[in-house]
Amino acid sequence: MENFQIEGSHYIPEINFNADTGVLEISGESYHEYTLEFFQPVFDWLKNYMEASGRKIVLNFKMTYFNTSSSRRFLEIMTMLEEYHNSKKGEVVINWYYEENDLDMLESGEEYAEDVKVPFNLIPH
């Protein structure tokens, strides 16, 4: 399976999914209007990747800002991973990186950690 990549810009996150290592990384800012259209290829790639059971997947979130619409899509990604973790014997870990003094980003991470039942690390940097 090929890797998946979207180059980031001022309002679009950078996305790198490495099929060989199972490391998925979403970083930067995300505040565009058409999040469903933007994230659909991400959902499609992830769905195909998770067809094989027992994979180890590490999702690294390194966001600096995102809007409500993007937040919903992030939760959809995490929910897909949670389902994979629970039903296909996948090993999923989510790492939520936030700047040490960014309480909003910390709170967002804490809320996601409560919503999904997979190992979830809040990592200040």
Side-chain angles (χ1 to χ4, degrees):
M1 184 167 186
E2 292 190 23
N3 297 333
F4 181 85
Q5 183 175 16
I6 296 175
E7 189 171 332
S9 76
H10 292 297
Y11 59 92
I12 293 175
E14 181 168 336
I15 299 177
N16 288 302
F17 288 172
N18 187 313
D20 295 328
T21 63
V23 175
L24 319 176
E25 188 162 301
I26 302 175
S27 62
E29 299 178 336
S30 182
Y31 55 93
H32 50 93
E33 289 182 44
Y34 305 104
T35 57
L36 182 58
E37 293 82 356
F38 177 79
F39 281 100
Q40 189 60 52
V42 176
F43 298 142
D44 293 342
W45 187 94
L46 195 55
K47 183 179 176 184
N48 287 335
Y49 186 73
M50 295 188 305
E51 284 183 1
S53 62
R55 290 183 189 260
K56 184 174 181 177
I57 300 173
V58 176
L59 174 59
N60 293 321
F61 267 98
K62 297 179 178 178
M63 300 302 297
T64 55
Y65 178 79
F66 56 88
N67 63 9
T68 303
S69 182
S70 296
S71 175
R72 182 176 175 186
R73 304 301 166 221
F74 295 159
L75 182 58
E76 289 176 28
I77 291 170
M78 291 182 207
T79 301
M80 290 173 71
L81 293 172
E82 179 184 35
E83 290 171 6
Y84 180 72
H85 184 82
N86 293 329
S87 66
K88 288 201 166 185
K89 299 180 182 178
E91 280 185 61
V92 174
V93 174
I94 298 174
N95 294 318
W96 182 270
Y97 292 88
Y98 64 97
E99 289 189 29
E100 204 163 346
N101 56 1
D102 189 344
L103 297 180
D104 291 335
M105 200 57 72
L106 171 60
E107 287 177 10
S108 294
E110 290 172 338
E111 290 174 8
Y112 285 126
E114 290 177 9
D115 289 339
V116 293
K117 304 302 176 216
V118 298
F120 199 111
N121 302 306
L122 298 165
I123 304 171
H125 63 94

